[in-house]
Structure formats: C-alpha cells, structure tokens
Amino acid sequence: MPRYRLLVEYDGRPYCGFQAQAGLPSVQASLERAVQAFSGESVRIHGAGRTDTGVHALGQVVHVDLEKSWSPAVVRDAMNAHLAREPIAVLGAEEASGDWHARFSATGRRYLFRILNRRSPAALDQGRAWWVKKPLDARAMHAAAQVLLGQHDFTTFRDVRCQAKSPVKTLDQVSVERDGEAVLLRFAARSFLHRQVRSMTGSLVEVGTGRWSADDFKGALEARQRSACGPVAPPDGLYLTEVIYPANAAK
C-alpha cells in the first residue's frame, strides 16, 4: 500500500480548522473528498499540524495511504482538479516510506504571524492579516520576545481547552521585524500548545503599543497563569509556513 507525502497550502477562512469535525467544513475533509473523487478510495488524511479555525497554511504536510499505486504527479494534479472550487492547493507530492508519518516524524514547525499596521483598514489583506491601527514598536516587541526562547512552562499562553499533557515547550526561534506597513512575527519549535502563537502574539502587541513593558511581558510568562495573558490575536494573520523533517526521512 503506497504512502504519499503531500505539501499543501490553504486559506483557512472557510474552514473550522484542519481537523475534520462532524457537520463542519474542514481542510482534512476536503482533501479526503478529493482523494476519493479521483481514486474511488475512502481514506484518512493525516496532517502535520492541526491548524485552528481561520488559520492559513503555506507549508502544511499530510500523508495518505492508497491501495493503488499512482504517479505522484497524477496524485497532485488529480487532487487539485477536484479542489478547484476551494482555496486549497496541493503544491507537491512524493512517495514516502511506510513508517514515515506527517505528524510524528516531524522535528519542527514554523509559523508566521502577519500584522497590518496602519491607520487604514485592510482591503486586499482582509482575513489574511491582523489589522492593528495603533503604531507598533517592532524593535520593542522583538526585544521582549527573546525571553520566550528555550524551555518554559507556557501555561500563560496556553488555551484553557488545550489537550497537551504538559504546558512545557521549547521555543527555538522568535523574531519580530517591520516590513513597511507589516509587522512580521516568526516562531519555530518542535510543537506548540493550542493557540500558543496567537496568545504570545497578542501579548507582544501589548508591548508594541506601549501598554506593556518588556518586564510586564516577562512577568506574564513567569506567572504561569492563563489570566496573565494579554488579548489573544485573531486567526487572520497566522500561517503554518513549514514543517521540518530529518534529511531523507520520507525516503
């Protein structure tokens, strides 16, 4: 039974998230329907990250097992043909070994959060960036964010519905930079807690507007209490950009 590794991008706005939920549109369900439409097989798609409602992806990775062997190019093109009316695209496909898993073989995930920082609202970027009209100090945000690096108890930035066994995670990268009217926040870790990136971003915006100091942000992290978190950023600007795997892990 051949296994296929697929690289997928999508606009998360029409979906309840990646994971299938009864009676609700999801990215996973749409991908599974596309596979069934071209192959006739009822399958389960496995994703590297369970992106939340409204969250986008530039580099989601999934895998699927099929009974019949197909050329990877045929899998990619056939799925895209059946996804033509949805904001989902399969960017690439390749065969993977039977013990390779889109989620469990991953060693890291990278996220980008895009903020549109200007007085005028978003027109072209509506739903794809968080509009913050009050000026943001990206340098202050970057400096404050460095306290997040390394291993911490991230209870403050963990959604109350998070199902992870432990609030302890290791953040490998965090940066904040301005690019014209955009403020870009980048995060990298092996894995993240539920809504961790959005929670950290919302609190960093408090620093950027001057409502919080860097010490306030550090104190929120060290409080290890959800009540210490600032306002949670909306999903609009969040993108899963890349999933990291060991070299040749899919071969």
Side-chain angles (χ1 to χ4, degrees), residues 11 47 93 135 139 146 162 173-174 204 213 226 236 240 242 245:
D11 181 333
R139 290 185 179 181
Q146 301 315 297
C162 180
Q173 177 195 354
V174 56
L204 285 170
S213 67
R226 182 60 174 170
D236 304 33
L240 173 59
E242 186 180 7
Y245 298 95

Side-chain angles (χ1 to χ4, degrees), residues 180-215:
E181 295 178 327
V183 174
L184 307 176
L185 296 88
R186 294 183 172 89
F187 303 89
R190 184 180 184 91
S191 61
F192 292 86
L193 300 167
H194 187 207
R195 293 187 179 169
Q196 181 182 348
V197 173
R198 288 170 56 191
S199 297
M200 295 186 297
T201 296
S203 292
L204 285 170
V205 164
E206 295 294 281
V207 176
T209 60
R211 287 191 287 263
W212 284 17
S213 67
D215 285 341

Side-chain angles (χ1 to χ4, degrees), residues 2-6 61-63 93-102 105-106 244-251:
R3 175 164 293 184
Y4 296 90
R5 165 177 169 169
L6 310 177
V61 178
V62 307
H63 80 256
E94 61 181 306
E95 288 195 42
S97 62
D99 60 354
W100 181 87
H101 195 285
S105 297
I244 309 299
Y245 298 95
N248 299 319
K251 303 303 181 183

Side-chain angles (χ1 to χ4, degrees), residues 116-123 131-133 181:
L116 180 64
N117 187 214
R118 67 185 190 191
R119 291 293 300 178
S120 300
W131 174 45
V132 177
K133 63 181 179 180
E181 295 178 327

Side-chain angles (χ1 to χ4, degrees), residues 98-143:
D99 60 354
W100 181 87
H101 195 285
R103 179 183 176 189
F104 299 120
S105 297
T107 58
R109 293 160 178 83
R110 298 182 186 275
Y111 282 89
L112 165 69
F113 200 104
R114 296 180 62 236
I115 297 174
L116 180 64
N117 187 214
R118 67 185 190 191
R119 291 293 300 178
S120 300
L124 299 180
D125 273 336
Q126 190 172 28
R128 297 189 178 95
W130 180 19
W131 174 45
V132 177
K133 63 181 179 180
K134 189 171 183 178
L136 295 175
D137 184 339
R139 290 185 179 181
M141 293 168 67
H142 177 80

